[in-house]
Amino acid sequence: MRAALDAVLAAGVERGAVPGIAAVVVDRAGARYEGASGVRRAGSSEEMTVDSVGALFSMTKALVGAAAMQLVERGVLDLDAPAGEVCPELDDVVVLCGFDADDQPITRPAASRVTLRQLLTHTSGFSYEMWDADLLRWHAVTGTPTTASGDRAALSTPLMFDPGTRWRYGIGIDWVGALIEEVTGSRLGDRLAEHLTEPLGMVDTTFHPEGPMLDRRCAMHMRAGDGALMPFDMPLAAPDGFQSGGGGMHGTMADYGRFIAMLLGDGALDGTRVLEAGTVEQMLTNQIGDLRVEPLVSCQPTVTLDAEFFPGQPKTWGLTFQLNEEPAATGRPAGTAMWAGLANSYFWIDRANGIGGASLTQVLPFADPGAFALWADVETAVYRAL
């Protein structure tokens, strides 16, 4: 496996798919492979390493989902109670029906109240403007900040459909972070550190990297029209600012591998239990019934291209994870959990084989063909080695 993965990573960098990539493969006991290739910043000599720090973006969601499920275990949060009982703002949300002749939004009351389960499964009705033309238009005509602003006001959006009636990727887990803060009285990052990341030894996972983490931080890269990767420094959020449960954390693949190993170990790693086995089972099984995951259609091509994992195959959703219902060409079996981060970082959790992995790059737009293909090559190499 090591020889195969080292070769895959090096080949991806050589062909210009990414400037640098770090990857891990884990089983229930911990790391089976840790490797990296390339550089942290295109044009530099700063080598990419498994402890290179990058923006996790939506890989944050699984961590926040686990923190929420810890509170469900304790009876502090309820998956199916109205979330507005904790955050009253959620009882005021309306459904966007369209726009009138003056380009003003037309809305109506939602048919039901949003629940925590719906927020965790992207069936609440909330969306992301980068994949929803109507929501992008709503932001433009109302002047409400978008998620790119890093402002909590970006959560004050309408629903795009009634709760529980469709699947659409959106800001639901940002709201989950708000629920966690409300019921615990703690900042989201402090809660995760105390009850999840520090117990698991994830020493480099945080909303606000500082000190030595900054020395290992990767540049962000944008794919130019000629295919070149242009580096830039993505601003860090202010330490006292909004902590986005949907995408605000930074971390390393060495750390994220420990999180995956914990899930493969039914909630425990190295003798430390952070979730009950039944909770992990629930998180990694279908929670949306007959609904199915829909393709992501881009409205902002500099940020994301159209995206779908395993096109043509039905996908369901657990509590923060996509689940493929059929075996995939990479070698993963049906029921494998996965998701990704906006800068083309990816992870998967295969409980049937007791194996999982993750890779970190810092390349935009999301679903960049080169970076996307490299992730598939990594996973394929793992299953061939097995």
Side-chain angles (χ1 to χ4, degrees):
M1 184 186 292
R2 172 165 293 281
L5 286 174
D6 284 348
V8 165
L9 300 188
V13 172
E14 177 66 24
R15 67 174 180 263
V18 295
I21 180 171
V24 295
V25 179
V26 300
D27 58 21
R28 295 179 178 93
R32 289 185 59 169
Y33 170 85
E34 294 183 338
S37 186
V39 292
R40 293 173 182 156
R41 174 186 288 269
S44 80
S45 59
E46 302 171 25
E47 290 187 1
M48 193 76 166
T49 56
V50 76
D51 66 348
S52 291
V53 175
L56 296 178
F57 288 108
S58 287
M59 288 170 69
T60 304
K61 288 179 168 68
L63 301 172
V64 174
M69 292 306 293
Q70 289 176 326
L71 294 168
V72 171
E73 288 180 346
R74 293 161 174 76
V76 179
L77 287 174
D78 186 321
L79 281 171
D80 297 310
E85 293 178 357
V86 177
C87 284
E89 300 158 271
L90 287 168
D91 277 341
D92 296 331
V93 292
V94 293
V95 177
L96 179 65
C97 302
F99 300 85
D100 64 20
D102 297 319
D103 209 28
Q104 294 304 299
I106 301 170
T107 62
R108 62 168 174 81
S112 60
R113 300 168 76 186
V114 173
T115 68
L116 173 59
R117 188 187 304 274
Q118 292 163 348
L119 293 170
L120 289 170
T121 58
H122 301 291
T123 59
S124 63
F126 285 114
S127 189
Y128 272 126
E129 74 279 355
M130 66 194 74
W131 290 296
D132 195 313
D134 285 340
L135 183 58
L136 187 62
R137 181 179 177 185
W138 180 88
H139 277 285
V141 302
T142 65
T144 304
T146 66
T147 52
S149 69
D151 192 327
R152 191 185 187 282
L155 304 191
S156 300
T157 68
L159 305 179
M160 309 310 290
F161 50 83
D162 284 316
T165 60
R166 290 182 64 181
W167 181 94
R168 185 172 297 178
Y169 196 49
I171 61 170
I173 298 175
D174 279 307
W175 277 111
V176 173
L179 295 176
I180 291 171
E181 291 190 333
E182 188 66 28
V183 298
T184 64
S186 299
R187 293 268 283 163
L188 182 58
D190 293 340
R191 179 72 191 184
L192 265 66
E194 182 178 356
H195 294 274
L196 187 68
T197 56
E198 289 181 3
L200 290 176
M202 298 171 65
V203 296
D204 287 326
T205 303
T206 179
F207 284 101
H208 301 291
E210 56 187 8
M213 285 186 70
L214 294 178
D215 297 332
R216 292 180 274 118
R217 187 183 178 214
C218 300
M220 190 59 64
H221 298 81
M222 179 67 70
R223 181 80 70 184
D226 63 357
L229 289 162
M230 309 302 295
F232 65 96
D233 292 317
M234 189 177 74
L236 293 172
D240 58 350
F242 172 59
Q243 295 185 333
S244 167
M249 299 194 86
H250 298 256
T252 68
M253 290 302 91
D255 270 15
Y256 212 85
R258 294 189 64 79
F259 176 68
I260 295 171
M262 175 275 292
L263 293 170
L264 290 171
D266 293 329
L269 179 65
D270 295 339
T272 298
R273 177 165 295 281
V274 295
L275 289 167
E276 297 301 323
T279 298
V280 175
E281 173 75 20
Q282 190 175 23
M283 293 174 69
L284 297 174
T285 53
N286 178 19
Q287 299 292 312
I288 63 173
D290 294 332
L291 299 178
R292 291 296 177 267
V293 172
E294 301 174 13
L296 305 179
V297 179
S298 173
C299 301
Q300 295 180 311
T302 59
V303 178
T304 175
L305 305 180
D306 292 351
E308 182 182 8
F309 297 101
F310 311 114
Q313 294 189 359
K315 279 84 64 174
T316 57
W317 204 266
L319 298 174
T320 71
F321 305 100
Q322 177 179 280
L323 308 166
N324 53 294
E325 292 199 295
E326 299 174 356
T330 57
R332 68 167 58 183
T336 299
M338 70 161 297
W339 202 235
L342 189 69
N344 287 287
S345 298
Y346 304 95
F347 71 92
W348 85 98
I349 306 164
D350 171 4
R351 290 203 303 157
N353 290 301
I355 200 82
S359 62
L360 175 78
T361 69
Q362 298 284 269
V363 172
L364 294 172
F366 181 62
D368 172 82
F372 198 84
L374 179 54
W375 156 73
D377 289 346
V378 168
E379 187 173 313
T380 300
V382 171
Y383 282 103
R384 286 179 178 169
L386 292 177

